[in-house]
Amino acid sequence: MKVYGRNILKEILETNTKVRMIYFSDTNSGELTDLIEEVKKRKLPFTIANKKVLQRLSNTEKHQGVVIDIGEFEYKDEGIIESLEKPFLVILDQIQDPHNFGAIIRTAVASGANAIIIPKKNSAQVTPTVVKVSVGTIFKINIIKTTNIARFIKNIKEMGIWVYGADTNGKVYYKTDLRKPVAIVLGNEGSGIRPNVKEKCDGLITIPMKNSVESLNVSVSAGILLYEVMRQNENFSS
């Protein structure tokens, strides 16, 4: 997989993510020169190429002079959850839009979530677009693919993790105890959480609406709910 952008490279360097090759534009600039020097210090593979090569590699003119070949994206194994102390998980039940996925990743990282879980089928996967929308924060969180979301929820509940699904018929989110260990489930942009997944949740939570607004974009809902988890855990911590 080839991703692009200066901030993406900065996140890759900060998280020591493995790279196959870094392509830099032959156009000189202060920030680009600093990045090249940092890559040299770390002895990472890189090359200098003209803008047309970078455009071909990234399929865009907005590559900011940097394209990074990271190879195949590394999804994490479900077993990693057992090693987490009081985990905070985000479960995405068939989110389709890569822009929503990327935005949710960024919010999940910012609010302190440990992992994001997605189904292997009928769901947006990690793509260069997702990485770009997340502004590279995807490299700071565990992304897990599971065959069956409902079964995954059953398994984590047995670990003592409370699971709450976002649904219009739920309890008002700020009146719900969202202290860790906890998982928040967000559903498909059009149909919401599937019934078989919903019934596995410990409870449903909702964001109250005014002026006859029926729902919010799923990435906006994620921002509200995930920051409520962070707020409650900061308030309740000793």
Side-chain angles (χ1 to χ4, degrees):
M1 181 190 299
K2 295 179 179 66
V3 296
Y4 58 90
R6 298 178 188 183
N7 286 330
I8 305 296
L9 178 56
K10 289 175 184 177
E11 293 290 354
I12 286 173
L13 295 176
E14 184 178 335
T15 55
N16 293 316
T17 300
K18 293 179 181 178
V19 299
R20 287 183 176 177
M21 180 61 70
I22 303 169
Y23 301 86
F24 288 108
S25 169
D26 56 6
T27 303
N28 292 325
S29 76
E31 186 178 22
L32 210 55
T33 300
D34 291 342
L35 286 171
I36 293 171
E37 289 303 314
E38 185 61 31
V39 166
K40 284 181 180 178
K41 286 180 185 178
R42 295 169 182 253
K43 297 181 179 179
L44 297 173
F46 76 95
T47 188
I48 307 297
N50 63 48
K51 287 184 177 181
K52 288 184 178 180
V53 172
L54 269 65
Q55 184 176 338
R56 177 174 55 80
L57 290 170
S58 62
N59 293 315
T60 180
E61 295 181 353
K62 299 179 181 179
H63 48 66
Q64 298 180 323
V66 183
V67 178
I68 312 103
D69 183 351
I70 62 171
E72 187 175 348
F73 182 80
E74 183 181 350
Y75 292 93
K76 298 299 192 295
D77 186 82
E78 293 181 25
I80 197 172
I81 294 171
E82 296 181 18
S83 66
L84 300 173
E85 183 179 353
K86 291 187 176 181
F88 170 16
L89 309 178
V90 181
I91 301 172
L92 305 182
D93 185 29
Q94 297 191 342
I95 297 294
Q96 302 293 318
D97 188 337
H99 291 86
N100 283 335
F101 187 17
I104 291 170
I105 291 169
R106 189 176 184 184
T107 298
V109 173
S111 59
N114 303 109
I116 295 175
I117 298 85
I118 63 172
K120 290 182 178 179
K121 296 182 179 180
N122 301 316
S123 172
Q125 306 293 308
V126 176
T127 64
T129 297
V130 171
V131 174
K132 184 66 177 177
V133 175
S134 81
V135 198
T137 56
I138 191 170
F139 301 113
K140 292 182 173 179
I141 194 168
N142 301 300
I143 307 292
I144 298 169
K145 282 203 293 189
T146 186
T147 304
N148 188 302
I149 291 288
R151 185 167 62 232
F152 175 85
I153 290 174
K154 178 178 179 293
N155 292 339
I156 64 171
K157 284 171 66 176
E158 291 174 356
M159 298 179 196
I161 299 172
W162 291 86
V163 182
Y164 294 96
D167 187 82
T168 55
N169 295 317
K171 181 180 178 181
V172 175
Y173 74 95
Y174 52 77
K175 295 182 179 179
T176 305
D177 185 348
L178 299 176
R179 285 176 289 180
K180 297 184 288 188
V182 69
I184 302 297
V185 185
L186 297 157
N188 175 270
E189 290 91 341
S191 55
I193 302 172
R194 288 172 292 168
N196 67 318
V197 173
K198 195 182 296 186
E199 68 181 16
K200 293 292 189 296
C201 296
D202 291 301
L204 300 176
I205 53 176
T206 191
I207 299 168
M209 306 282 175
K210 290 188 175 183
N211 299 317
S212 301
V213 175
E214 293 184 1
S215 64
L216 299 173
N217 175 277
V218 66
S219 65
V220 175
S221 296
I224 294 169
L225 299 177
L226 301 189
Y227 268 88
E228 177 64 12
V229 173
M230 185 179 77
R231 185 193 69 81
Q232 289 195 21
N233 281 277
E234 286 188 349
N235 286 351
F236 286 128
S237 61
S238 57

